[in-house]
Amino acid sequence: MTPKISRAGLWLLALLWLAGPVFAAAKPDKPAKKSSKDEVVTISTPQGTIRLILFDDTPLHKANFLKRAQSGGYNGTTFHRVIDGFMIQGGDTNTKDADPSNDGLGQPSEGTTPAELGPGHQHNYGAVAAARMGGPAGTPSSSTQFYLVENHDGTHFLDGMYTVFGQVIQGLDVIDKIVKVPKDGRDRPTADVKMTVKVEKLKRKKITKLYGYKYQ
C-alpha cells in the first residue's frame, strides 16, 4: 500500500521548527543492567486512549520523551498534522496557543536530540518516531515533536532516516480514528485533537500480560 501524502508530505517530516543547541549524553562505559520494570506512556485524546512503550536502545529519545511527559509538557498539545494512510504528528508546544498558523514551527529554545538510527526499529504500524528538519540520515530530531505511523503496511521508506524510538501497544484503532477527522489544507484537524500524557512504571511481565507486548 502506498502512503497517501499531501503536499505537506512532500517534505515528509521536514518541519520548520528552529533548531537550537543539540543535547547529548555521555555514553556509559558499561551497558546498563536492564530493569525488570518499564514505563508505559498513556496518551488520552477525544478519540480514545493510546498506550506505548519506548525502546531502551534509543536512550536519548526515551529519556527526553519521558522527561517531557512526566513534567506535563505534552499536556494540552495537539496532533496538529494528520495524514490518512501515513501518520499523525503532534507534541509542538505552539499548539497550546490560539494561533493555528504557528503549529509545527516549534520554538528555538527547544533544541534537538541526536539521531539514534540503530538497526532493528522500523516504521511499522504504530511505530513512535521523532520528527525532524529535512536533511540526510543522522540529522538531529526535534526534542518535542513526534509521530505515530498510521499506515497499516508501515512507512518503510522512512526506515533509517528518522529515529523510531517506541511502539504503540494499545489503541491502534484510535490512531485510525484521528486520521479520519476533518482537516484543512495543511492537514491540520479543524477541531483540536488535544492530548494529555501520563507515565506509569510497571513490571515488564505485567506489561506483556496486560497488552501482549513481548520484549526482545
Side-chain angles (χ1 to χ4, degrees), residues 2-28:
T2 301
K4 299 175 182 177
I5 307 176
S6 69
R7 61 178 179 277
L10 293 177
W11 34 279
L12 299 178
L13 302 161
L15 304 176
L16 298 178
W17 50 271
L18 301 176
V22 174
F23 297 120
K27 295 182 178 179

Side-chain angles (χ1 to χ4, degrees), residues 36-38 40 201-209 215:
S36 63
K37 294 185 177 182
D38 198 6
V40 174
K201 200 161 191 176
L202 299 173
K203 289 185 177 180
R204 292 178 187 245
K205 289 183 178 179
K206 187 171 184 179
I207 293 172
T208 297
K209 182 178 180 180
Y215 287 89

Side-chain angles (χ1 to χ4, degrees), residues 64-78 90-96 110 143-144 146 195-198:
N64 175 72
F65 191 97
L66 290 176
K67 181 179 179 181
R68 291 185 178 278
Q70 291 167 331
S71 68
Y74 283 127
N75 294 342
T77 63
T78 75
D92 183 13
T93 306
N94 289 345
T95 61
K96 292 184 180 183
E110 291 172 349
S143 65
T144 59
F146 63 96
M195 69 180 82
T196 300
V197 182
K198 70 175 184 179

Side-chain angles (χ1 to χ4, degrees), residues 41-72:
V41 178
T42 299
I43 302 176
S44 300
T45 74
Q47 286 72 30
T49 299
I50 301 168
R51 288 189 172 87
L52 52 92
I53 56 94
L54 307 177
F55 301 140
D56 291 329
D57 56 0
T58 52
L60 302 181
H61 285 74
K62 180 172 184 174
N64 175 72
F65 191 97
L66 290 176
K67 181 179 179 181
R68 291 185 178 278
Q70 291 167 331
S71 68

Side-chain angles (χ1 to χ4, degrees), residues 45 47 50 79 82 88 174-181 193:
T45 74
Q47 286 72 30
I50 301 168
F79 284 104
V82 305
I88 62 174
V174 177
I175 302 177
D176 293 342
K177 291 176 183 177
I178 291 174
V179 297
K180 299 297 185 184
V181 301
V193 180

